[in-house]
Amino acid sequence: MQQNRHRSPKVLNKRLRVILAVITVGIVAISFYSIGLVQNLVWHNYVEKLTAQADNIQVEVDSWIDNKLKLIDVYQVLISNLEAADLKYSKVENKYLKIDYLTH
């Protein structure tokens, strides 16, 4: 009767192998799932970083364009306020053209 109480080593080996196989498959599945989650998280952070950089660049370009438009407005006001006399008596910096204030 005592022989019936103990199982044979072959049955224990089979059960042990099955349990180890199930545990191994479970660990591999969890590992692949975790790797996929990490890759998605990294990709999401990368996209957010690029989006933030693009927004910063857009703000800088917009402010640069606004500054240039303000300068154009200032130049338009300056040019509209100039008179022919101002242009006539202005000093010409180019010495090779030989233009003086009497030249039209």
Side-chain angles (χ1 to χ4, degrees):
M1 278 222 193
Q2 287 190 359
Q3 290 178 353
N4 289 337
R5 288 174 63 195
H6 298 291
R7 297 183 183 191
S8 65
K10 289 182 180 181
V11 173
L12 287 178
N13 277 341
K14 285 182 182 179
R15 281 191 179 179
L16 185 61
R17 286 181 186 172
V18 169
I19 291 172
L20 286 176
V22 168
I23 290 173
T24 304
V25 168
I27 289 173
V28 169
I30 291 172
S31 298
F32 282 131
Y33 180 73
S34 298
I35 290 171
L37 285 178
V38 168
Q39 285 179 342
N40 286 339
L41 181 64
V42 168
W43 181 254
H44 182 69
N45 287 340
Y46 179 72
V47 169
E48 283 183 358
K49 183 179 176 183
L50 286 180
T51 305
Q53 286 178 349
D55 291 342
N56 290 339
I57 290 171
Q58 182 179 4
V59 167
E60 290 177 10
V61 168
D62 288 344
S63 67
W64 182 81
I65 290 173
D66 288 340
N67 289 338
K68 297 306 173 191
L69 290 175
K70 288 176 186 175
L71 281 175
I72 289 173
D73 291 339
V74 168
Y75 291 147
Q76 284 177 344
V77 169
L78 287 175
I79 289 172
S80 66
N81 289 335
L82 284 178
E83 295 178 359
D86 295 333
L87 293 174
K88 189 175 178 183
Y89 291 105
S90 64
K91 181 180 177 186
V92 177
E93 296 293 330
N94 192 340
K95 61 183 179 181
Y96 299 106
L97 290 176
K98 303 284 186 194
I99 298 174
D100 57 357
Y101 62 90
L102 297 176
T103 308
H104 295 289

